[in-house]
Amino acid sequence: MRQSLAVTFNGFELEGVSVRSGGRTRLDDVSLQIPAEGITVLAGASGAGKSTLLRLLNRLDIPTEGTIRWRGTSLDQIDVLEHRRDVGMVFQQPTVVPGTVADNLRLADPDLSDAEAIMLLEAAALAAGFLDRDASALSGGERQRVCFARTLATRPTVVLADEPTASLDPDATTVVEDVVSELAHPDRSGRVAWIWVSHDRQQTERLADRVITLAEGRVIGVTR
């Protein structure tokens, strides 16, 4: 008789995950699978638990109860720095350090060549000429795309994005969304999955391959 082989899920699995702090339940008994492909949007009102869930996936928070696995291995068995290279993260406010754009990219990979840095900029819809620009003099949308390029320097499997366009104007938001869509879909130019927090219904409709909706710390819907 043939033995069946166990198939490891290519993504995140949460089983009975709860987060409690300060007398408040931020996530309540969440069991969920999030595949490492395409764009998954975490939707819901403010305080629903979206950012808490995202932070758990990057080990910025630790669950009070339950288990989180990445590609079949419990997160507490994976080296934190190794995990954060494989699972990158960008935040609502784009943070750059003093120096050039190249200096910022080399924070993620000190051995990055100029040619590799230019490829990362191009992937983030920035021209090669940005490499020597003062990062602190860039617009908000340009800074966010530099943060995207810096995150991509570690060659992540998936990028976690916590409302990264919330502080951008509509034009910059459109550019960032186009970049993400290009990177997420293998039939286009890239193969980086995204798990994206948004409370903007229209943005969710534009971006999402699947939507996980939360309310009061619980998952109330998963749509594709």
Side-chain angles (χ1 to χ4, degrees), residues 37 40 44 56 69 73 94 108 112 139 149 159 164 179 188 196 201 209 217:
E37 60 181 35
T40 299
L56 288 174
R69 289 188 292 273
T73 302
L112 198 67
S139 69
V159 175
V179 166
R188 301 178 194 174
W196 180 288
R201 183 173 298 177
D209 296 305

CSV table of all heavy atoms in Angstrom, one decimal, residues 37 40 44 56 69 73 94 108 112 139 149 159 164 179 188 196 201 209 217:
chain,number,residue,atom,x,y,z
A,37,GLU,N,0.8,33.7,-1.8
A,37,GLU,CA,0.6,33.9,-3.2
A,37,GLU,C,-0.4,35.1,-3.4
A,37,GLU,O,-1.3,35.3,-2.6
A,37,GLU,CB,0.1,32.7,-3.9
A,37,GLU,CG,-1.2,32.2,-3.4
A,37,GLU,CD,-1.7,30.9,-4.2
A,37,GLU,OE1,-0.8,30.1,-4.5
A,37,GLU,OE2,-2.9,30.8,-4.4
A,40,THR,N,-3.4,39.2,-0.4
A,40,THR,CA,-4.4,39.0,0.6
A,40,THR,C,-4.6,40.3,1.3
A,40,THR,O,-3.7,40.8,1.9
A,40,THR,CB,-4.0,37.9,1.6
A,40,THR,OG1,-3.8,36.7,0.8
A,40,THR,CG2,-5.1,37.7,2.6
A,44,GLY,N,-11.5,45.5,7.5
A,44,GLY,CA,-12.3,45.6,8.7
A,44,GLY,C,-12.2,47.0,9.3
A,44,GLY,O,-11.3,47.8,8.9
A,56,LEU,N,1.7,39.8,14.3
A,56,LEU,CA,2.0,38.4,14.7
A,56,LEU,C,2.7,37.6,13.7
A,56,LEU,O,3.6,36.8,14.0
A,56,LEU,CB,0.7,37.6,15.0
A,56,LEU,CG,-0.1,38.0,16.3
A,56,LEU,CD1,-1.5,37.3,16.2
A,56,LEU,CD2,0.6,37.7,17.5
A,69,ARG,N,2.0,28.9,12.3
A,69,ARG,CA,3.1,28.2,11.5
A,69,ARG,C,3.3,28.9,10.2
A,69,ARG,O,2.4,29.5,9.6
A,69,ARG,CB,2.6,26.8,11.3
A,69,ARG,CG,2.6,25.9,12.5
A,69,ARG,CD,2.4,24.4,12.1
A,69,ARG,NE,1.0,24.2,11.6
A,69,ARG,CZ,0.0,24.0,12.4
A,69,ARG,NH1,0.2,23.9,13.7
A,69,ARG,NH2,-1.2,23.8,11.9
A,73,THR,N,6.1,25.1,9.8
A,73,THR,CA,7.0,25.2,11.0
A,73,THR,C,6.5,26.3,12.0
A,73,THR,O,6.2,27.4,11.5
A,73,THR,CB,8.4,25.5,10.7
A,73,THR,OG1,8.9,24.5,9.8
A,73,THR,CG2,9.3,25.5,11.9
A,94,PRO,N,6.4,55.7,6.0
A,94,PRO,CA,7.7,55.3,5.4
A,94,PRO,C,8.9,55.9,6.1
A,94,PRO,O,9.0,57.1,6.3
A,94,PRO,CB,7.6,55.8,3.9
A,94,PRO,CG,6.7,56.9,4.0
A,94,PRO,CD,5.7,56.6,5.0
A,108,ALA,N,19.4,46.8,4.2
A,108,ALA,CA,18.9,45.4,4.1
A,108,ALA,C,19.9,44.4,3.6
A,108,ALA,O,19.9,43.3,4.0
A,108,ALA,CB,17.7,45.4,3.2
A,112,LEU,N,25.0,44.8,-1.5
A,112,LEU,CA,24.2,45.1,-2.7
A,112,LEU,C,25.0,45.9,-3.6
A,112,LEU,O,25.5,47.0,-3.3
A,112,LEU,CB,22.9,45.9,-2.3
A,112,LEU,CG,21.8,46.0,-3.2
A,112,LEU,CD1,21.1,44.6,-3.4
A,112,LEU,CD2,20.7,47.0,-2.7
A,139,SER,N,9.6,62.7,-1.7
A,139,SER,CA,8.2,62.8,-1.3
A,139,SER,C,7.7,61.6,-0.6
A,139,SER,O,8.4,60.6,-0.5
A,139,SER,CB,7.3,63.0,-2.6
A,139,SER,OG,7.3,61.8,-3.3
A,149,ALA,N,11.5,48.9,-2.0
A,149,ALA,CA,12.7,48.4,-2.6
A,149,ALA,C,13.6,47.8,-1.5
A,149,ALA,O,14.3,46.8,-1.7
A,149,ALA,CB,13.4,49.5,-3.4
A,159,VAL,N,5.5,39.9,1.6
A,159,VAL,CA,5.7,41.2,2.3
A,159,VAL,C,4.4,41.5,3.0
A,159,VAL,O,3.3,41.5,2.5
A,159,VAL,CB,6.0,42.3,1.3
A,159,VAL,CG1,6.0,43.7,2.0
A,159,VAL,CG2,7.4,42.1,0.6
A,164,PRO,N,0.0,50.9,4.0
A,164,PRO,CA,1.2,51.7,3.5
A,164,PRO,C,0.8,52.9,2.6
A,164,PRO,O,1.7,53.7,2.4
A,164,PRO,CB,2.0,50.7,2.7
A,164,PRO,CG,1.0,49.7,2.2
A,164,PRO,CD,0.0,49.6,3.3
A,179,VAL,N,2.6,49.1,-8.4
A,179,VAL,CA,3.9,48.4,-8.1
A,179,VAL,C,3.6,47.0,-7.4
A,179,VAL,O,4.1,46.0,-7.8
A,179,VAL,CB,4.8,49.3,-7.2
A,179,VAL,CG1,5.9,48.4,-6.6
A,179,VAL,CG2,5.4,50.4,-8.0
A,188,ARG,N,2.8,38.4,-14.6
A,188,ARG,CA,3.3,39.7,-14.9
A,188,ARG,C,4.8,39.7,-14.7
A,188,ARG,O,5.5,39.1,-15.5
A,188,ARG,CB,2.6,40.8,-14.1
A,188,ARG,CG,1.1,40.8,-14.4
A,188,ARG,CD,0.3,41.8,-13.6
A,188,ARG,NE,-1.1,41.5,-13.5
A,188,ARG,CZ,-2.0,42.2,-12.8
A,188,ARG,NH1,-1.6,43.2,-12.1
A,188,ARG,NH2,-3.2,41.9,-12.8
A,196,TRP,N,-1.9,42.6,3.1
A,196,TRP,CA,-2.0,44.0,3.0
A,196,TRP,C,-3.2,44.4,3.9
A,196,TRP,O,-4.3,44.0,3.7
A,196,TRP,CB,-2.3,44.4,1.6
A,196,TRP,CG,-2.5,45.9,1.3
A,196,TRP,CD1,-3.6,46.6,1.6
A,196,TRP,CD2,-1.6,46.7,0.6
A,196,TRP,NE1,-3.4,47.9,1.1
A,196,TRP,CE2,-2.2,48.0,0.4
A,196,TRP,CE3,-0.3,46.5,0.0
A,196,TRP,CZ2,-1.6,49.0,-0.2
A,196,TRP,CZ3,0.3,47.6,-0.7
A,196,TRP,CH2,-0.3,48.8,-0.8
A,201,ARG,N,-12.5,50.3,1.3
A,201,ARG,CA,-13.2,49.3,0.5
A,201,ARG,C,-12.8,49.3,-0.9
A,201,ARG,O,-12.7,48.3,-1.6
A,201,ARG,CB,-14.7,49.5,0.7
A,201,ARG,CG,-15.5,48.4,0.0
A,201,ARG,CD,-17.0,48.6,0.4
A,201,ARG,NE,-17.2,48.4,1.8
A,201,ARG,CZ,-18.4,48.5,2.4
A,201,ARG,NH1,-19.5,48.8,1.7
A,201,ARG,NH2,-18.5,48.3,3.7
A,209,ASP,N,-6.8,39.6,-4.2
A,209,ASP,CA,-7.1,38.3,-4.7
A,209,ASP,C,-8.0,37.5,-3.8
A,209,ASP,O,-8.7,36.7,-4.2
A,209,ASP,CB,-5.8,37.5,-5.0
A,209,ASP,CG,-4.9,38.2,-6.1
A,209,ASP,OD1,-5.4,38.4,-7.2
A,209,ASP,OD2,-3.8,38.5,-5.8
A,217,GLY,N,-11.8,41.5,16.7
A,217,GLY,CA,-10.8,40.4,16.9
A,217,GLY,C,-11.1,39.1,16.4
A,217,GLY,O,-10.3,38.1,16.6
